[in-house]
Amino acid sequence: MKNLIVISGIVVLILNGVSFLIFESFDSDSLIASEISIGLSVFLLYMVSNSSIDDAFKIALTFGFIFSALVKYVLALYFSMPLTNNYIFLALVILSAIEIISFMSIKYFTRHA
């Protein structure tokens, strides 16, 4: 399962890069933001599968992270520079922080329950 997550993440990153090469209407800022959001989501899914938390939490976090990865990807498609007054960047950071905080808190509470 863990290797499947890594391999599928690499395939999605490659397909994303190829699709940005084919469709020239998107700029490089969107490519970088989408690659980072996909990479972070794959990393978090890999961390969930490797962690020693309960199975119900693993399932819930997996579905939640997949849903938020899709939301972050759609947001990243509309990302553009500069970072000042950029609400899409703020939304991406907040979603990523919620993912990381939820994973860390569930991992902490599972260990100390």
Side-chain angles (χ1 to χ4, degrees), residues 59-96:
I59 293 169
L61 283 176
T62 301
F63 283 122
F65 287 170
I66 289 172
F67 177 73
S68 66
L70 291 173
V71 171
K72 287 190 312 183
Y73 181 74
V74 170
L75 285 173
L77 290 178
Y78 296 105
F79 178 79
S80 63
M81 294 298 279
L83 295 179
T84 56
N85 295 329
N86 195 339
Y87 296 112
I88 294 176
F89 178 71
L90 181 65
L92 289 171
V93 170
I94 289 173
L95 280 173
S96 299

Coordinates of all heavy atoms in Angstrom, one line a residue, residues 59-96:
I59 N -8.6 5.8 7.8 CA -9.6 5.9 6.8 C -10.2 7.3 6.7 O -10.3 7.9 5.6 CB -10.7 4.9 7.0 CG1 -10.2 3.4 6.8 CG2 -11.9 5.1 6.0 CD1 -11.2 2.4 7.3
A60 N -10.5 7.9 7.8 CA -11.0 9.3 7.8 C -10.0 10.3 7.3 O -10.4 11.1 6.5 CB -11.5 9.6 9.2
L61 N -8.8 10.1 7.7 CA -7.7 11.1 7.3 C -7.5 10.9 5.8 O -7.2 11.8 5.1 CB -6.5 10.9 8.1 CG -6.5 11.5 9.5 CD1 -5.1 11.2 10.2 CD2 -6.6 13.0 9.4
T62 N -7.5 9.6 5.3 CA -7.2 9.4 3.9 C -8.3 10.0 3.0 O -7.9 10.7 2.1 CB -7.2 7.9 3.6 OG1 -6.1 7.3 4.4 CG2 -6.9 7.6 2.2
F63 N -9.5 9.8 3.4 CA -10.6 10.5 2.6 C -10.6 12.0 2.7 O -10.7 12.7 1.7 CB -12.0 9.9 3.0 CG -12.3 8.6 2.4 CD1 -12.6 7.5 3.3 CD2 -12.2 8.3 1.1 CE1 -12.8 6.3 2.8 CE2 -12.5 7.1 0.6 CZ -12.8 6.0 1.4
G64 N -10.3 12.5 3.9 CA -10.2 13.9 4.1 C -9.0 14.5 3.3 O -9.2 15.6 2.7
F65 N -7.9 13.9 3.3 CA -6.7 14.4 2.6 C -6.9 14.3 1.1 O -6.4 15.2 0.4 CB -5.5 13.6 3.0 CG -5.0 14.0 4.4 CD1 -4.0 13.3 5.0 CD2 -5.5 15.0 5.1 CE1 -3.5 13.6 6.3 CE2 -5.1 15.4 6.4 CZ -4.1 14.6 7.0
I66 N -7.6 13.3 0.6 CA -7.8 13.2 -0.8 C -8.8 14.3 -1.3 O -8.6 14.9 -2.3 CB -8.4 11.8 -1.2 CG1 -7.3 10.8 -1.1 CG2 -8.9 11.8 -2.6 CD1 -7.7 9.3 -1.2
F67 N -9.8 14.5 -0.5 CA -10.8 15.6 -0.8 C -10.1 17.0 -0.8 O -10.2 17.8 -1.7 CB -12.0 15.6 0.1 CG -12.9 16.7 -0.1 CD1 -13.7 16.7 -1.2 CD2 -13.0 17.8 0.8 CE1 -14.6 17.8 -1.4 CE2 -13.8 18.9 0.6 CZ -14.7 18.8 -0.5
S68 N -9.3 17.2 0.3 CA -8.6 18.5 0.3 C -7.5 18.6 -0.7 O -7.2 19.7 -1.2 CB -8.0 18.7 1.7 OG -7.0 17.8 2.0
A69 N -6.9 17.5 -1.2 CA -5.9 17.6 -2.2 C -6.6 18.0 -3.5 O -6.0 18.8 -4.3 CB -5.3 16.2 -2.4
L70 N -7.8 17.5 -3.8 CA -8.5 18.0 -5.0 C -8.9 19.5 -4.9 O -8.8 20.2 -5.9 CB -9.8 17.1 -5.2 CG -9.6 15.7 -5.5 CD1 -10.9 14.9 -5.5 CD2 -8.9 15.6 -6.9
V71 N -9.3 19.9 -3.7 CA -9.6 21.3 -3.5 C -8.4 22.2 -3.7 O -8.4 23.2 -4.4 CB -10.3 21.6 -2.2 CG1 -10.4 23.1 -1.9 CG2 -11.6 20.9 -2.1
K72 N -7.2 21.7 -3.1 CA -6.0 22.5 -3.3 C -5.5 22.5 -4.7 O -5.0 23.5 -5.2 CB -4.9 21.9 -2.4 CG -5.1 22.2 -0.9 CD -3.9 21.8 -0.1 CE -3.4 20.5 -0.3 NZ -2.3 20.1 0.5
Y73 N -5.7 21.4 -5.4 CA -5.3 21.4 -6.8 C -6.1 22.4 -7.7 O -5.5 23.1 -8.5 CB -5.4 20.0 -7.4 CG -5.0 19.9 -8.8 CD1 -3.6 19.9 -9.1 CD2 -5.9 19.8 -9.9 CE1 -3.2 19.8 -10.5 CE2 -5.5 19.7 -11.2 CZ -4.1 19.7 -11.5 OH -3.7 19.7 -12.8
V74 N -7.4 22.4 -7.5 CA -8.2 23.3 -8.2 C -7.9 24.8 -7.9 O -7.8 25.6 -8.7 CB -9.7 23.1 -8.0 CG1 -10.6 24.2 -8.5 CG2 -10.1 21.7 -8.5
L75 N -7.6 25.0 -6.6 CA -7.2 26.4 -6.2 C -5.8 26.7 -6.8 O -5.6 27.8 -7.2 CB -7.1 26.5 -4.7 CG -8.4 26.6 -3.9 CD1 -8.1 26.6 -2.4 CD2 -9.1 27.9 -4.3
A76 N -4.9 25.7 -6.9 CA -3.6 26.0 -7.4 C -3.6 26.3 -8.9 O -2.7 26.9 -9.4 CB -2.7 24.8 -7.2
L77 N -4.6 25.8 -9.6 CA -4.8 26.1 -11.0 C -5.0 27.6 -11.3 O -4.6 28.1 -12.3 CB -5.9 25.3 -11.7 CG -5.7 23.8 -11.8 CD1 -6.9 23.2 -12.4 CD2 -4.5 23.5 -12.7
Y78 N -5.6 28.3 -10.3 CA -5.8 29.7 -10.4 C -4.8 30.6 -9.7 O -5.0 31.8 -9.5 CB -7.3 30.0 -9.9 CG -8.3 29.3 -10.8 CD1 -9.0 28.2 -10.3 CD2 -8.6 29.8 -12.1 CE1 -9.9 27.6 -11.1 CE2 -9.5 29.2 -12.8 CZ -10.2 28.1 -12.3 OH -11.1 27.4 -13.1
F79 N -3.8 30.0 -9.2 CA -2.7 30.7 -8.5 C -1.9 31.5 -9.4 O -1.6 31.2 -10.5 CB -1.8 29.7 -7.8 CG -0.7 30.3 -7.0 CD1 -0.9 30.9 -5.8 CD2 0.6 30.4 -7.5 CE1 0.1 31.5 -5.0 CE2 1.6 30.9 -6.8 CZ 1.4 31.5 -5.6
S80 N -1.5 32.7 -9.0 CA -0.6 33.6 -9.7 C 0.2 34.5 -8.7 O -0.3 34.7 -7.6 CB -1.4 34.5 -10.7 OG -2.3 35.4 -9.9
M81 N 1.3 34.9 -9.2 CA 2.1 35.8 -8.4 C 1.7 37.2 -8.5 O 1.0 37.5 -9.4 CB 3.6 35.6 -8.9 CG 4.2 34.3 -8.6 SD 4.3 33.8 -6.9 CE 5.8 34.6 -6.4
P82 N 1.9 38.1 -7.6 CA 2.7 38.1 -6.4 C 2.0 37.6 -5.2 O 0.7 37.4 -5.3 CB 3.0 39.6 -6.2 CG 1.8 40.3 -6.8 CD 1.4 39.4 -7.9
L83 N 2.7 37.3 -4.1 CA 2.1 36.8 -3.0 C 1.3 37.8 -2.1 O 0.5 37.4 -1.3 CB 3.1 36.1 -2.1 CG 3.8 34.9 -2.7 CD1 4.8 34.3 -1.8 CD2 2.8 33.8 -3.1
T84 N 1.5 39.0 -2.3 CA 0.8 40.1 -1.6 C -0.6 40.1 -2.0 O -0.9 40.1 -3.2 CB 1.5 41.4 -1.7 OG1 1.5 41.8 -3.1 CG2 2.9 41.4 -1.2
N85 N -1.5 40.1 -1.0 CA -3.0 40.2 -1.3 C -3.5 39.0 -2.2 O -4.3 39.2 -3.0 CB -3.4 41.5 -1.9 CG -3.2 42.7 -0.9 OD1 -3.3 42.5 0.3 ND2 -2.9 43.8 -1.5
N86 N -2.9 37.9 -2.0 CA -3.2 36.7 -2.8 C -4.0 35.8 -1.9 O -3.5 35.0 -1.1 CB -1.9 36.0 -3.3 CG -2.2 35.1 -4.4 OD1 -3.3 34.6 -4.6 ND2 -1.2 34.8 -5.2
Y87 N -5.3 35.8 -2.2 CA -6.2 35.0 -1.3 C -6.2 33.5 -1.7 O -6.4 32.6 -0.8 CB -7.7 35.5 -1.5 CG -7.8 36.9 -0.9 CD1 -8.1 37.9 -1.8 CD2 -7.7 37.1 0.4 CE1 -8.2 39.2 -1.3 CE2 -7.8 38.4 0.9 CZ -8.1 39.4 0.1 OH -8.2 40.7 0.6
I88 N -5.8 33.2 -2.9 CA -5.6 31.8 -3.2 C -4.5 31.1 -2.5 O -4.5 30.0 -2.0 CB -5.5 31.6 -4.8 CG1 -6.8 32.0 -5.4 CG2 -5.1 30.2 -5.1 CD1 -6.8 32.0 -6.9
F89 N -3.4 31.9 -2.4 CA -2.2 31.4 -1.7 C -2.6 31.3 -0.2 O -2.2 30.3 0.5 CB -1.0 32.4 -1.8 CG 0.2 32.0 -1.0 CD1 0.9 30.9 -1.4 CD2 0.6 32.8 0.1 CE1 2.1 30.6 -0.7 CE2 1.7 32.4 0.8 CZ 2.4 31.3 0.5
L90 N -3.3 32.2 0.4 CA -3.8 32.1 1.7 C -4.6 30.9 2.0 O -4.5 30.1 3.0 CB -4.5 33.4 2.1 CG -5.0 33.4 3.6 CD1 -3.8 33.5 4.5 CD2 -5.9 34.7 3.7
A91 N -5.5 30.6 1.0 CA -6.4 29.4 1.1 C -5.6 28.1 1.1 O -5.8 27.1 1.8 CB -7.4 29.4 0.1
L92 N -4.5 28.1 0.2 CA -3.7 26.9 0.1 C -2.9 26.7 1.4 O -2.8 25.5 1.8 CB -2.7 27.1 -1.1 CG -3.3 27.0 -2.5 CD1 -2.3 27.4 -3.5 CD2 -3.8 25.6 -2.7
V93 N -2.4 27.7 2.0 CA -1.6 27.6 3.2 C -2.5 27.2 4.4 O -2.2 26.3 5.2 CB -0.9 29.0 3.5 CG1 -0.4 28.9 4.9 CG2 0.2 29.2 2.5
I94 N -3.7 27.7 4.4 CA -4.7 27.4 5.5 C -5.1 25.9 5.4 O -5.1 25.2 6.3 CB -5.9 28.3 5.5 CG1 -5.5 29.7 6.0 CG2 -7.0 27.7 6.3 CD1 -6.5 30.7 5.9
L95 N -5.4 25.5 4.1 CA -5.8 24.0 3.9 C -4.6 23.1 4.3 O -4.8 22.1 4.9 CB -6.2 23.8 2.5 CG -7.6 24.2 2.2 CD1 -7.9 24.1 0.7 CD2 -8.6 23.4 2.9
S96 N -3.4 23.5 3.9 CA -2.3 22.6 4.2 C -2.0 22.6 5.8 O -1.7 21.6 6.3 CB -1.0 23.2 3.5 OG -1.2 23.1 2.1

